[in-house]
Amino acid sequence: MEKVEKILETRELNVNMGPQHPATHGVLRLVLEIDGETIVNVTPYVGYLHRGIEKLGESLTYFQGLPLTDRLDYVSAMSNNIGYVVAVERLFGIDPPERAKFIRTIVGELSRISNHLLWLATHALDIGAMTVFLYCFREREWILDLFEMICGARLTVTYPRVGGVRNDVSQEFLDSLYKFTEEFPTRIPEYETLIDKNRIWLKRTVGIGVISAEEAINWGLTGPTLRGSGVQYDIRKHTPYDAYDKVEFEVPIGTNCDTYDRYRCRMHELRQSNRILKQCLEKLPPGPVMADTPKFTLPPKDFILKDMEHLIHQFILITKGPTVPEGEIYVATEVPKGELGFYFVSDGTGKPYRMRIRAPSFVHASVLSRLCVGHLVADVIANIGTIDIVLGECDR
Amino acid sequence: MIVEVNMKFPYMKMDPLAIAERIKEKFPLEVVDVVSFRDQVSVIIKKEKIVEICRFLHDDPVLDFDHLRDLCGVDYLGKKEPRFEVIYHLYSVRHRHMIRLNAQVSESDPKIDSVTSLWAGVNWHERECFDMFGIKFKGHPDLRRILLPEDWEGYPLRKDYPLKGPEKEWSGFAEVLEKAKKYREFDWEG
């Protein structure tokens, strides 16, 4: 027996995965140390998509920085824009009108649904359920059409603005949105019948990537990834922004802390988002969509060519930027992936002295080294899927 | 199993100024200043006892800062002395209150103790701070560059780093350019 072991020595093997692997959701590179089929250690390498957005933000005015945020999490650009404008509004000390707040809540939730659909589609595809992908993209396409209807763009939208939104929504959009909210709850069971009790799906997700509540908080997880572990942390409830304090919704919480519960959490969130959309449609108040604060928000385009004063404000705001009080502020919003925080240090000029982006994907990618250990190589894919990362946001 | 909650239960939220007062009481010599802006409070502290202060905030049952939201650096070149600040955004998921710690780090000695022993998730934030500002975190288990290549020169988020990058190309990119020049003769010209 001893002799055999000497000849067939076992040793750990290093396997490189990515950065061009389709299942890593972008350009994530993992170096796996494996012992047979079991993962001993995982080292994630990020930074392949680093564009220096934080450095760029320091050289642009607060208005010019907005389009950069589309390029963070490019699958839910609307939520990122909202995160940015909410933070800048808090820094300026302005309050958008009610109608703008409700419209932002609507587009934010639409963005959440589209993000979760894309997540479900790719997560299922990675694990091996091809059909779900096609069903999810059918509804995602519908949401992108809705986005196109309000602002003309489908992915990099830049629709919310500091002090409100770019333009009011049309009746045509509201009608289509109403149709969507009526139709969408009947579509969710379609995805669920495909995988909810599917034996392969259960085998691949139940008990995979278990992380306890305390540990999940300690690792800095946020969003559905954290709530799957049973922690009641949702920024929409903790520190409400936009119109989230005026709508009723519940927060789904998982109990088993595994990949399957995180999947169920997101499915429940789809329903809750739809519920918020319905209430927003009912409660949508009339009125302006842009705050009337000429010192901080860009004037309406129609007035600029007719009115001297507006032209002056436009000129000053575009060339110099607004005069901002000195100070520092951190504002977090609940984007589909978790907690997106913007930290601004203002030195009184029109450009941020320091713009820091706390991206949920960055923190979630770091937890991979904890989640994968002890599982099989195939479960790495399930673990990458369940934390819902986008590398554009991770690398910034 | 999934349960849906509306999260309308009572919680013991503390006023951020009261939290700052508590830190001041416990560490009177460490707190330099307390600044309040838009309902958020920054406690400016010296860097020497950062781990003790963080441990106090983390372990105290009334404060219970279990969630480190963010860690980042700021470079106040020519504006403030000492030059750098390391910013800790702490949040309590249970009590729903928040505090900001600004630890002062000087240019001559850009080092600070790591808090990875308290929050595991801070690991990559500290690595990023090192990558972007060159601030070293003592006791960090794996302090390497994270977003930039290992052989990158300079620290990009410092204020004296040019926006368009250094004059000299990064060695990896220079290599690619060299290769492109070498293989140009095989280009198809139609």
Side-chain angles (χ1 to χ4, degrees):
Chain A
M1 199 64 199
E2 258 176 39
K3 216 175 181 183
V4 174
E5 261 177 24
K6 260 181 197 166
I7 301 163
L8 298 169
E9 60 174 281
T10 56
R11 62 190 174 95
E12 280 168 14
L13 191 67
N14 280 359
V15 177
N16 183 58
M17 181 180 168
Q20 287 101 350
H21 195 283
T24 56
H25 294 218
V27 282
L28 173 70
R29 177 177 160 228
L30 300 173
V31 174
L32 315 171
E33 280 172 38
I34 50 178
D35 177 16
E37 272 284 301
T38 319
I39 306 281
V40 179
N41 199 6
V42 176
T43 322
Y45 288 85
V46 296
Y48 292 93
L49 214 56
H50 180 59
R51 292 146 295 170
I53 286 181
E54 288 179 15
K55 183 84 175 171
L56 273 175
E58 288 172 10
S59 66
L60 302 171
T61 65
Y62 288 98
F63 307 115
Q64 290 168 330
L66 178 59
L68 293 178
T69 58
D70 287 314
R71 278 82 185 164
L72 288 173
D73 177 3
Y74 35 76
V75 298
S76 53
M78 209 60 111
S79 301
N80 287 260
N81 291 157
I82 292 170
Y84 182 84
V85 296
V86 166
V88 174
E89 278 165 6
R90 277 283 295 284
L91 176 67
F92 288 4
I94 57 174
D95 203 26
E98 281 298 289
R99 188 177 173 85
K101 283 186 178 176
F102 273 91
I103 293 173
R104 286 210 304 228
T105 313
I106 289 175
V107 292
E109 289 310 310
L110 277 176
S111 160
R112 192 180 310 279
I113 294 176
S114 96
N115 176 78
H116 283 358
L117 288 177
L118 183 83
W119 167 82
L120 178 66
T122 49
H123 187 39
L125 189 65
D126 290 347
I127 291 183
M130 175 85 192
T131 325
V132 191
F133 184 84
L134 303 167
Y135 278 89
C136 289
F137 264 60
R138 184 184 57 187
E139 271 74 61
R140 185 166 176 270
E141 196 62 22
W142 193 349
I143 293 173
L144 294 186
D145 285 343
L146 286 172
F147 282 164
E148 197 177 353
M149 223 181 252
I150 35 176
C151 62
R154 290 160 66 84
L155 289 170
T156 48
V157 281
T158 326
Y159 173 63
R161 292 294 150 93
V162 177
V165 290
R166 168 71 180 82
N167 54 290
D168 205 347
V169 290
S170 62
Q171 190 57 44
E172 191 197 355
F173 166 76
L174 293 175
D175 291 343
S176 332
L177 181 62
Y178 179 74
K179 225 174 119 192
F180 177 81
T181 54
E182 288 294 305
E183 184 75 26
F184 186 61
T186 64
R187 302 284 175 92
I188 302 171
E190 286 184 16
Y191 323 133
E192 285 176 340
T193 39
L194 285 170
I195 45 180
D196 228 19
K197 294 194 173 61
N198 183 325
R199 243 169 102 182
I200 303 168
W201 180 264
L202 289 175
K203 266 260 191 277
R204 296 293 304 271
T205 56
V206 174
I208 303 295
V210 179
I211 185 161
S212 71
E214 287 79 24
E215 214 178 339
I217 295 177
N218 199 260
W219 271 96
L221 302 185
T222 44
T225 317
L226 175 67
R227 291 194 286 273
S229 294
V231 183
Q232 306 187 5
Y233 179 50
D234 189 323
I235 298 160
R236 293 174 295 171
K237 288 279 189 194
H238 276 221
T239 45
Y241 55 97
D242 285 350
Y244 285 111
D245 49 348
K246 297 180 189 75
V247 289
E248 290 276 321
F249 65 99
E250 261 99 57
V251 180
I253 305 286
T255 45
N256 295 333
C257 320
D258 60 359
T259 303
Y260 184 75
D261 264 24
R262 289 190 277 269
Y263 147 72
R264 286 303 308 158
C265 248
R266 290 190 174 96
M267 297 312 278
H268 280 253
E269 269 187 22
L270 287 178
R271 292 195 172 85
Q272 293 297 336
S273 292
N274 197 67
R275 201 174 143 203
I276 296 172
L277 284 176
K278 271 193 171 170
Q279 291 175 57
C280 284
L281 274 178
E282 273 169 29
K283 293 178 179 170
L284 188 67
V289 292
M290 205 59 184
D292 187 21
T293 45
K295 291 264 184 276
F296 291 115
T297 51
L298 296 173
K301 280 275 183 293
D302 315 344
F303 293 147
I304 293 168
L305 295 176
K306 295 179 195 156
D307 194 344
M308 190 67 197
E309 206 173 323
H310 283 113
L311 183 63
I312 293 169
H313 281 310
Q314 166 91 3
F315 184 74
I316 293 289
L317 286 177
I318 293 295
T319 53
K320 246 179 75 189
T323 312
V324 184
E326 270 185 54
E328 47 188 335
I329 196 160
Y330 176 88
V331 179
T333 48
E334 183 80 20
V335 294
K337 298 198 160 51
E339 172 183 343
L340 178 74
F342 281 94
Y343 170 62
F344 287 109
V345 178
S346 154
D347 60 346
T349 61
K351 293 171 183 173
Y353 186 74
R354 168 91 166 95
M355 180 175 95
R356 158 78 182 164
I357 304 157
R358 187 257 189 231
S361 299
F362 184 71
V363 186
H364 289 181
S366 76
V367 84
L368 270 178
S369 55
R370 153 71 185 76
L371 285 183
C372 297
V373 173
H375 287 304
L376 302 179
V377 175
D379 297 329
V380 174
I381 306 294
N383 278 323
I384 295 172
T386 188
I387 54 173
D388 193 10
I389 51 171
V390 152
L391 272 294
E393 186 180 51
C394 178
D395 298 346
R396 297 182 297 271
Chain B
M1 204 189 87
I2 303 291
V3 281
E4 291 189 340
V5 289
N6 62 11
M7 289 166 68
K8 276 182 186 158
F9 49 84
Y11 50 92
M12 300 277 285
K13 189 174 177 170
M14 255 178 104
D15 183 52
L17 278 170
I19 299 170
E21 212 43 56
R22 255 187 104 104
I23 300 170
K24 227 174 174 176
E25 238 169 65
K26 185 93 183 171
F27 302 95
L29 295 174
E30 298 300 310
V31 177
V32 178
D33 199 3
V34 176
V35 185
S36 177
F37 179 71
R38 303 242 192 266
D39 303 332
Q40 293 190 357
V41 172
S42 325
V43 183
I44 300 165
I45 51 168
K46 293 177 192 159
K47 66 171 184 181
E48 279 78 19
K49 284 200 177 158
I50 181 70
V51 179
E52 279 90 339
I53 296 172
C54 283
R55 182 165 293 131
F56 166 66
L57 292 170
H58 181 269
D59 293 346
D60 191 284
V62 184
L63 300 172
D64 195 18
F65 284 103
D66 45 5
H67 176 40
L68 189 129
R69 284 184 139 172
D70 189 23
L71 182 147
C72 66
V74 182
D75 178 9
Y76 289 105
L77 179 65
K79 280 193 180 258
K80 274 190 201 172
E81 200 53 51
R83 180 177 168 183
F84 297 109
E85 271 182 9
V86 177
I87 318 284
Y88 300 77
H89 285 102
L90 307 180
Y91 189 77
S92 167
V93 173
R94 179 172 301 151
H95 302 308
R96 304 189 185 185
H97 49 228
M98 178 182 152
I99 194 83
R100 180 187 303 122
L101 297 178
N102 302 21
Q104 294 179 327
V105 178
S106 66
E107 191 181 357
S108 54
D109 180 32
K111 285 186 191 115
I112 190 166
D113 289 329
S114 166
V115 291
T116 34
S117 54
L118 296 167
W119 296 282
V122 81
N123 187 318
W124 278 26
H125 287 310
E126 287 185 347
R127 274 178 70 186
E128 195 196 347
C129 190
F130 164 69
D131 195 358
M132 295 296 163
F133 290 92
I135 297 169
K136 290 196 174 67
F137 289 86
K138 283 184 277 180
H140 189 283
D142 181 27
L143 198 64
R144 287 179 290 127
R145 283 189 180 267
I146 183 161
L147 294 177
L148 298 174
E150 284 285 306
D151 54 347
W152 191 269
E153 282 170 27
Y155 301 104
L157 279 180
R158 286 188 176 187
K159 286 284 172 184
D160 50 8
Y161 190 89
L163 176 68
K164 287 180 180 172
E167 300 258 312
K168 211 179 98 206
E169 296 285 5
W170 168 58
S171 62
F173 187 57
E175 202 177 290
V176 172
L177 290 179
E178 199 60 38
K179 258 191 195 158
K181 213 182 272 174
K182 197 175 140 195
Y183 291 123
R184 190 161 293 158
E185 58 182 292
F186 301 113
D187 267 5
W188 178 73
E189 283 171 29

